[in-house]
Amino acid sequence: MTALEPLLLDGVVPYPEEFAVRYRSEGHWTDQTLAEMLFEVVERVPDKTAIIADEVRITYGDLGERVLRFAAGFTDLGINRGDRVVLHLPNVSDYVPILFALFEIGAVPVLALAALRRHEIEYFVEFTEARAYVTIETHAGNDFAALARELEESSPNLEHTVVLATDGTSADVEQLLSHGALGHARRSLPSDVAFLQLSGGTTGQPKVIPHTHEDYLASVRASVKIGAITGDTVQLVVLPLCHSFAMRSPGFLGVLSQGGTIVPTLNGSPDVAFPLIAQHGVTDVSVVPPLALVWLNSSLKERYDLTSLQVLRVGGAKFSAQAAGRVRAELGATVQQSFGMAEGLTTFTGLDEDDDTITSRQGRPTLSADEVVVVDDEGTVVPTGTAGHLWTRGPSTIRGYYRAPEHNAQNFTADGFYKTGDIVLEDERGYLTVVGRSKDQINRGGEKIAPEEVENLLLAFDAVHDVSVVGVPDEMLGERTKAFVVPRAGGDTSLLTLGTIRKFLRDKGLAAYKLPDVVELVDEFERTAVGKVSKLNQRAK
Ligand code: J2J
C-alpha cells in the first residue's frame, strides 16, 4: 500500500513545524488517530460494555462492527477523506458509531449542537461546503426532517441527508448499514483535521474550530489521568456529546480510550439522571453549574442510591465556591472543577487537593507543554496574582479558526497565542481563577451566545431602530440574556414585547437558548466616551 499523504484542507492554520516536532518528541502527540484509539480497545476488550443507551448495552465488539458498517455506508455514498459532514444529533445511541465511522474513513464531521436550528445549520452547511447532513427526525419540538429537505433544496454542495428516526433506527440508517462492513485500516493521519467544532463565538457568524487527531488525543489522554478515568469508569453523559467538555475533558473519548462505559442521556434532570446513576452504578459525570445546583437542591437525592458516584466535574461557566463546598456532603462525590474552551486549553483541579483549591480555583493547565500568560490591556505580563487577559498556546490549542484569516489576525498573537477573552488570576502554583471576561459573549449557564448574532437578526425587525444584547446577572444561570431595544420613531411599541421578539427570532430559525429572557425598551443607549454603546453599564441592569 502506498503511504498516505497529509490531508490538506484550505483555511486551516497548521502548527509550525518546530512545535510539531517538539510536541511529538515530548510524547504529547502520538502516532494514532481517533479511529485507531477506538479499535485498539475494541480488540483488547471486545466483550466489555462500551455504551448503555435506552436500556440497550453495546459491547466494544458490537460498537466496532457498527462503526465499520456505517463506514461502508458513507463510503458507498461517495463520502471520502476530507469531506465535511454536518452531524446534528442529540445524545442518541448511534451518535458514537456514526462519529467514529466518519473518523474511520477520514471524513471531517462538523459537530453541531442539537439545540441549533435552521439559521445556524444552514450557515454551517454552506460555510464548510458539507456534502452530507446527518440529523434526527425531531428533537425538542423541532422538525429536523423538514430542515433536511429544505437544505437539500437550498444548498448546492449538499448531496446527501441521513435522518435518524426519533425512536431509534430509520430507513436512512438501514440503508447506510446495508453495505456490509469495511475492514479497519489507516485511512487518515494523526496530523489530519479530525473534525470541525463550533466556537461559542463573539461575532455575527460563529467561528469554526479545526482539531487534528493528535492534538485532540493529547488533551484526552492527559485529562484521563487527571480525571482518574479507568476501564471501571461508568460515565453518565448529560452534556451534549458534541461539546468539547463532553468529548475530551476527559469526556466520552477519555472513557472509551480506557475501555470504560458511557451512558448518554437526553435529559440531565434529577428524575432521569438519578435513576440512571443508581441503576448503572455511574461513577463519573460532567455538568454545567446550573445543573449541579439543580442536583444539589433536589429532594430526589435522598430517594436514589448515588453512592457509586465518585466525581462530579463542573465547568463551562463559573461554579461558586459556596456551591462547590456542598458537593461532597450532599452528593457524596469529589468535585473537580474544569475550565476550558473548544479552541484548546483545559484546566482541572486535582481530585486529592485541599478544599480551598477545589472550591475556589478552576484548576491548572492539563498538559505540561501548555503555555499560559496573563497580560494587561497592552499585552504586558502582569505580576502573579493580578487579574489579566489569558493568552495560551499548546499541544491541543488551535493556531487559527477555519477559513477566518481576518478574525485570526485579531484573536491570535503573531507568535501563535490564542487570546481567550477570559480574565483570570494565576496563583504562584499555576492555578487559575476565572474572574471575568473581556470578549462580548454571554455565558448563559455554560451555553455561549454571541450578542452580535442576535442583534443582527433583531435589526431586521420592523419596529426596531437599534438593539443591544447583554448578559445580566441571574442566580441560577449565572447570566441571562437581556435585549435593550430602541423602538423605531413613530412605530407601534406594542409590537415590541418579549413574546413578539422571541417569536420573530424563532421564525428566523435561531436556537432557543439564544432567545432573550428579558426585553427593555429605551429611548437611547448610554454611550462611552468614544461613542460606543456602554455594554458594561447595561450588564449591571
Ligand atoms: C468560568 N468560565 C468558564 C469555568 C468555561 C472543559 C470545560 C469547559 C469547556 C467550555 C471546555 C469555565 N469558569 N469553569 O471546552 O473542554 C467559559 C470561558 C471559556 C468559554 C469556553 C472544556 N469553563 N468557561 O466551556 O468552548 O469564557 O468550552 O473561554 O463552550 O467558557 O466555552 P466552550
Side-chain angles (χ1 to χ4, degrees):
M1 241 178 68
T2 51
L4 289 174
E5 291 295 320
L7 172 71
L8 293 175
L9 280 191
D10 69 294
V12 173
V13 184
Y15 290 89
E17 189 54 23
E18 62 183 287
F19 284 87
V21 167
R22 192 178 124 210
Y23 294 154
R24 287 194 187 107
S25 73
E26 290 177 1
H28 302 294
W29 288 1
T30 62
D31 185 33
Q32 198 177 42
T33 65
L34 284 154
E36 288 163 348
M37 179 275 279
L38 181 70
F39 279 97
E40 192 179 271
V41 184
V42 168
E43 267 166 41
R44 191 162 54 80
V45 287
D47 298 328
K48 278 199 71 182
T49 303
I51 306 175
I52 304 176
D54 314 323
E55 303 291 310
V56 179
R57 281 174 181 268
I58 303 167
T59 64
Y60 277 90
D62 295 340
L63 174 59
E65 166 76 15
R66 203 159 174 87
V67 167
L68 295 173
R69 289 180 65 198
F70 274 125
F74 281 116
T75 302
D76 213 69
L77 288 182
I79 304 294
N80 293 311
R81 184 173 179 214
D83 287 342
R84 272 79 67 198
V85 175
V86 173
L87 198 57
H88 183 211
L89 287 178
N91 289 8
V92 292
S93 59
D94 264 339
Y95 185 95
V96 172
I98 291 176
L99 178 71
F100 274 94
L102 295 168
F103 290 155
E104 172 68 31
I105 61 175
V108 179
V110 182
L111 306 181
L113 282 170
L116 298 182
R117 297 179 58 237
R118 191 187 67 240
H119 171 73
E120 295 94 357
I121 298 297
E122 210 167 54
Y123 172 73
F124 292 127
V125 165
E126 270 154 43
F127 181 73
T128 66
E129 295 175 277
R131 295 189 59 203
Y133 170 61
V134 181
T135 193
I136 188 159
E137 269 175 353
T138 57
H139 173 66
N142 295 308
D143 185 349
F144 291 143
L147 175 58
R149 287 192 296 272
E150 281 175 45
L151 290 171
E152 268 179 354
E153 293 293 310
S154 64
S155 303
N157 45 281
L158 194 72
E159 294 161 41
H160 306 285
T161 59
V162 175
V163 182
L164 277 63
T166 304
D167 57 0
T169 188
S170 70
D172 285 3
V173 169
E174 291 305 318
Q175 175 65 21
L176 262 189
L177 291 172
S178 67
H179 297 268
L182 292 187
H184 167 61
R186 172 163 276 199
R187 297 185 175 86
S188 53
L189 293 176
S191 58
D192 286 359
V193 169
F195 58 87
L196 298 171
Q197 204 160 34
L198 310 179
S199 81
T202 54
T203 49
Q205 303 288 15
K207 293 288 164 280
V208 174
I209 296 169
H211 275 292
T212 63
H213 294 268
E214 59 197 356
D215 96 47
Y216 220 59
L217 278 170
S219 168
V220 170
R221 283 197 209 91
S223 310
V224 156
K225 293 209 183 86
I226 301 168
I229 302 296
T230 69
D232 295 329
T233 298
V234 181
Q235 183 184 66
L236 184 67
V237 190
V238 300
L239 293 164
L241 283 161
C242 64
H243 189 268
S244 146
F245 189 16
M247 281 179 82
R248 52 100 179 236
S249 296
F252 75 88
L253 293 176
V255 176
L256 295 178
S257 76
Q258 300 306 301
T261 303
I262 60 166
V263 187
T265 171
L266 292 168
N267 184 341
S269 66
D271 55 323
V272 176
F274 290 0
L276 287 174
I277 294 173
Q279 188 186 349
H280 302 301
V282 166
T283 61
D284 183 283
V285 65
S286 298
V287 297
V288 287
L291 188 59
L293 288 175
V294 168
W295 284 18
L296 283 167
N297 295 338
S298 169
S299 57
L300 290 181
K301 64 181 191 272
E302 323 303 340
R303 260 221 255 134
Y304 291 95
D305 179 3
L306 305 181
T307 49
S308 59
L309 194 64
Q310 292 164 9
V311 179
L312 180 79
R313 202 169 296 100
V314 189
K318 180 79 178 244
F319 193 38
S320 77
Q322 192 261 341
R326 292 171 55 194
V327 171
R328 169 155 320 275
E330 297 183 36
L331 289 168
T334 302
V335 67
Q336 177 165 56
Q337 296 215 39
S338 178
F339 156 72
M341 56 213 67
E343 287 81 354
L345 179 76
T346 58
T347 70
F348 296 93
T349 54
L351 291 173
D352 49 8
E353 269 162 333
D354 62 277
D355 282 351
D356 178 53
T357 303
I358 286 183
T359 57
S360 64
R361 305 284 195 282
Q362 276 67 60
R364 62 177 158 183
T366 306
L367 291 153
S368 56
D370 280 328
E371 298 171 79
V372 156
V373 292
V374 184
V375 300
D376 63 17
D377 290 347
E378 277 70 52
T380 308
V381 173
V382 298
T384 304
T386 310
H389 305 278
L390 171 66
W391 291 358
T392 185
R393 184 168 76 172
S396 65
T397 300
I398 57 164
R399 292 300 184 117
Y401 293 101
Y402 180 57
R403 296 182 168 171
E406 287 100 44
H407 195 70
N408 289 342
Q410 281 171 22
N411 287 275
F412 291 80
T413 65
D415 48 6
F417 279 83
Y418 168 56
K419 301 178 184 174
T420 66
D422 291 310
I423 314 251
V424 301
L425 290 172
E426 187 181 17
D427 70 16
E428 53 297 328
R429 299 169 304 164
Y431 284 76
L432 303 181
T433 305
V434 182
V435 295
R437 194 161 62 230
S438 57
K439 56 190 165 192
D440 189 16
Q441 185 178 75
I442 298 166
N443 188 337
R444 190 178 181 278
E447 293 186 307
K448 316 298 174 342
I449 301 161
E452 192 180 309
E453 187 180 24
V454 186
E455 289 164 359
N456 286 349
L457 287 175
L458 273 180
L459 284 172
F461 195 151
D462 268 352
V464 170
H465 171 65
D466 205 356
V467 58
S468 172
V469 172
V470 296
V472 293
D474 181 90
E475 208 177 309
M476 265 321 255
L477 294 170
E479 285 170 39
R480 69 198 150 127
T481 305
K482 179 164 179 179
F484 288 90
V485 175
V486 180
R488 188 175 291 283
D492 180 359
T493 51
S494 70
L495 293 177
L496 289 174
T497 63
L498 179 63
T500 55
I501 283 179
R502 286 171 64 95
K503 177 167 186 318
F504 177 80
L505 292 171
R506 247 195 319 266
D507 290 347
K508 289 269 174 196
L510 190 70
Y513 71 88
K514 300 180 186 172
L515 303 178
D517 300 295
V518 199
V519 168
E520 184 178 331
L521 302 187
V522 292
D523 294 333
E524 58 185 353
F525 296 140
E526 255 178 79
R527 302 272 165 182
T528 63
V530 292
K532 283 172 66 172
V533 177
S534 175
K535 288 207 164 183
L536 204 61
N537 285 346
Q538 291 177 333
R539 283 184 196 122
K541 290 183 181 166

